[in-house]
Amino acid sequence: MGHFAVIAPPLYSHFHALQALAQTLLARGHRITFIQQADARTLLSDERIEFVTVGQQTHPAGSLAPVLHRLASPGGLSLFRVIKDLADCTDMLCRELPELLKALKVDGVIADEMEAAGGLVAEALHLPFVSVACALPVNREAGIPLAVMPFRFAQNEKALKRFQASSDIYDRIMHRHGEVILKHARAFGLTERRGLHQCLSPLAQISQMVPAFDFPRQQLPDCYHAVGPLREPVSVALLNAPWPALRQPVVYASLGTLQGHRFRLFLHLAQACRNLRLSLVIAHCGGLNMQQTHQLELAGAAWVTDFVDQRAALQHAQLFITHAGLNSALEALACGTPMLALPIAFDQPGVAARIEWHGVGCRASRFSGVHRLERHLQKVLADGSYTLRMSAIQAQLQRAGGCQRAAEIVEQALCQQHVVLAEAT
């Protein structure tokens, strides 16, 4: 059986998805080692998965918290500090991974697409690797807006120019990160590159996105595999509502693990739901204190908590208010729950654009006032077609294969290629 290293950014949603894949591989007899800075160890909950610390000089224990704080509010000038954080992490991994991977004697690498170091170092060491898109895939294609862009899909001349111009702007903004990628590609003797999309595996690219929820792509490589959500297997049975008896309809709101601190947005949602006589359930993921929780309840929220079983919540809610993270959107689609998307950062504008384009929810600005939020809530709740349009996406999600299919792809790509490389040497 193989020993695979997992290289991913130190973010909960990415580690959560890759841990589910790792657990499936463990059950098939493989050994899995995650490699990241010390603070990322807490993102794993399965003790069978090994963890090796790197970056003790540049990324010591306690240094991740301020990085996550900046990631949670990446607007304005702080965006460039966020890019520096990303560049520093890639630089550290590219410096420390080569010797470590040799010492660990891994057979292959599972590389998150959002961390270029995994692919760069694996390629430099002639190790087989697979790329995994826990967020929207970073594959670029003419006529498709970048994952971080909020644009609807269109093929007219104006739209195509907008897509290209936004890609050029994005590359200029990400210059610092691109220079780190270029520096290490040159040092490793690889072809020159500057972007995440140029660090993907030629063997296998695994994505949680399914075609029925994406824009119509035409140029994905043959090694691209849409497997759907990477999650631990769960029963299809209806779960009990995770909240006390509430007046119908129930609206469930969660902004994910990084954005749960946005009290003002939650306050506007509470006021809008109170005015419409809707029962609003808020899961803030530990981002609010008890005083803020009490204020939200006074403002009209029916139930406020830190964490909730999201699948159970989506099964019992008539509408999901979301930051449009890909994981949350896919869970809502699987449960048939229409969405009001309030994107904030990263690939969330791209996910929200797909929600709107496929007609499975609507999109609004996170700066919307109470009355505008009321209109959006009324629109989604009154229109049953949002739910009907989910059927094709749900069918693909059910057939996609999830962790089991992803594990098969990893085995085929890494184990077989490792044998080929070993025979060649």
Side-chain angles (χ1 to χ4, degrees), residues 6 30 37 59 64 73 78 143 159 164 177 187 242 272 278 290 304 323 326 334 340 352 361 377 397:
V6 178
H30 301 287
Q37 63 192 84
H59 294 71
L64 182 58
S73 302
S78 66
Q164 184 57 55
H177 190 241
L278 305 173
M290 292 191 65
V304 183
H323 62 309
L326 180 60
L340 171 57
L377 291 167
L397 289 172

Side-chain angles (χ1 to χ4, degrees), residues 115-172:
E115 178 45 74
L120 283 172
V121 175
E123 188 176 344
L125 297 179
H126 304 290
L127 282 170
F129 72 100
V130 299
S131 302
V132 181
C134 296
L136 286 183
V138 300
N139 306 72
R140 293 199 183 185
E141 182 175 332
I144 300 292
L146 295 186
V148 296
M149 297 301 169
F151 309 125
R152 286 174 61 93
F153 178 77
Q155 291 293 277
N156 57 67
E157 183 178 357
K158 181 179 179 181
L160 295 177
K161 287 182 177 179
R162 181 188 301 119
F163 298 162
Q164 184 57 55
S166 65
S167 297
D168 294 340
I169 294 170
Y170 172 84
D171 288 336
R172 288 198 293 272

Side-chain angles (χ1 to χ4, degrees), residues 172-192:
R172 288 198 293 272
I173 292 173
M174 293 295 293
H175 174 77
R176 185 168 193 158
H177 190 241
E179 287 300 301
V180 169
I181 294 173
L182 176 63
K183 177 184 74 173
H184 288 288
R186 286 174 172 170
F188 293 149
L190 306 177
T191 57
E192 293 196 356

